[in-house]
Amino acid sequence: RTPSSFIVHGHDEGALMQLKDYIQNTLNWQEPIVLRDQSNAGKTIIEKFEDFALRVDYVFVLLTPDDTAIADGTNEEKRRSRQNVVFEMGFFCGSLGRRSGRVLLLHKGAVELPSDIAGVVWIDISSGIKAVGEEIRKEVTALSPERRRA
């Protein structure tokens, strides 16, 4: 069985399409789950998310600088990922295990990265998915079911 995956994403359509293409056409995995592309089937968004989230082997989180935040007491702007991305990342780190290696964080550009989840794989995709494709492949291959049994 080929691995299944879920892509958590914000507004960077290009990064999402590159990653989806890489997973399907380079890794030759099943089509990744992108929540917005799935039927609601009468469910709330969180119910739909939970249903699909429980079916996957790996999660790719695209942390892209979609939002701007200003720290209290300063005028310093920081670029952040969408709140749904941070929420879903936390859900997957909790449900799949932060140190399992099954959650890969792909960050792009000057995006503020959460400091309290050390141990999760971080890969910089600022030069594109293909530029770091072998790094992604190395991470997911290291934890394939066949290698886990060895």
Side-chain angles (χ1 to χ4, degrees), residues 112-126:
E112 184 178 40
L113 302 174
S115 62
D116 59 349
I117 56 170
V120 177
V121 176
W122 295 93
I123 298 173
D124 186 347
I125 61 163
S126 297

Side-chain angles (χ1 to χ4, degrees), residues 3 5-7 15-16 18-24 26-29 58-62 101-107 121-144:
S5 62
F6 191 108
I7 300 175
L16 173 60
Q18 285 178 33
L19 180 59
K20 188 174 179 182
D21 177 68
Y22 179 81
I23 292 168
Q24 287 181 260
T26 301
L27 293 178
N28 295 314
W29 288 9
Y58 293 90
V59 177
F60 298 87
V61 181
L62 285 169
R102 295 172 57 200
V103 181
L104 280 80
L105 306 181
L106 309 175
H107 69 91
V121 176
W122 295 93
I123 298 173
D124 186 347
I125 61 163
S126 297
S127 297
I129 297 294
K130 286 186 180 179
V132 294
E134 284 309 307
E135 191 174 349
I136 293 170
R137 181 192 303 275
K138 178 182 74 174
E139 292 300 331
V140 297
T141 302
L143 290 162
S144 66

Side-chain angles (χ1 to χ4, degrees), residues 12-43:
D12 191 325
E13 235 9 75
L16 173 60
M17 291 299 113
Q18 285 178 33
L19 180 59
K20 188 174 179 182
D21 177 68
Y22 179 81
I23 292 168
Q24 287 181 260
N25 298 317
T26 301
L27 293 178
N28 295 314
W29 288 9
Q30 301 172 37
E31 180 178 356
I33 294 170
V34 176
L35 197 61
R36 70 171 188 207
D37 297 341
Q38 310 304 315
S39 168
N40 292 323
K43 298 177 182 149

Side-chain angles (χ1 to χ4, degrees), residues 64-121:
T64 55
D66 299 322
D67 291 343
T68 303
I70 299 175
D72 279 345
T74 74
N75 289 327
E76 181 185 355
E77 282 190 2
K78 293 186 179 206
R79 300 301 306 261
R80 292 187 177 167
S81 295
R82 306 277 305 154
Q83 289 181 338
N84 69 291
V85 172
V86 175
F87 172 80
E88 292 172 21
M89 175 182 63
F91 176 90
F92 282 117
C93 285
S95 64
L96 298 178
R98 178 183 55 82
R99 296 187 305 177
S100 71
R102 295 172 57 200
V103 181
L104 280 80
L105 306 181
L106 309 175
H107 69 91
K108 182 177 182 181
V111 64
E112 184 178 40
L113 302 174
S115 62
D116 59 349
I117 56 170
V120 177
V121 176

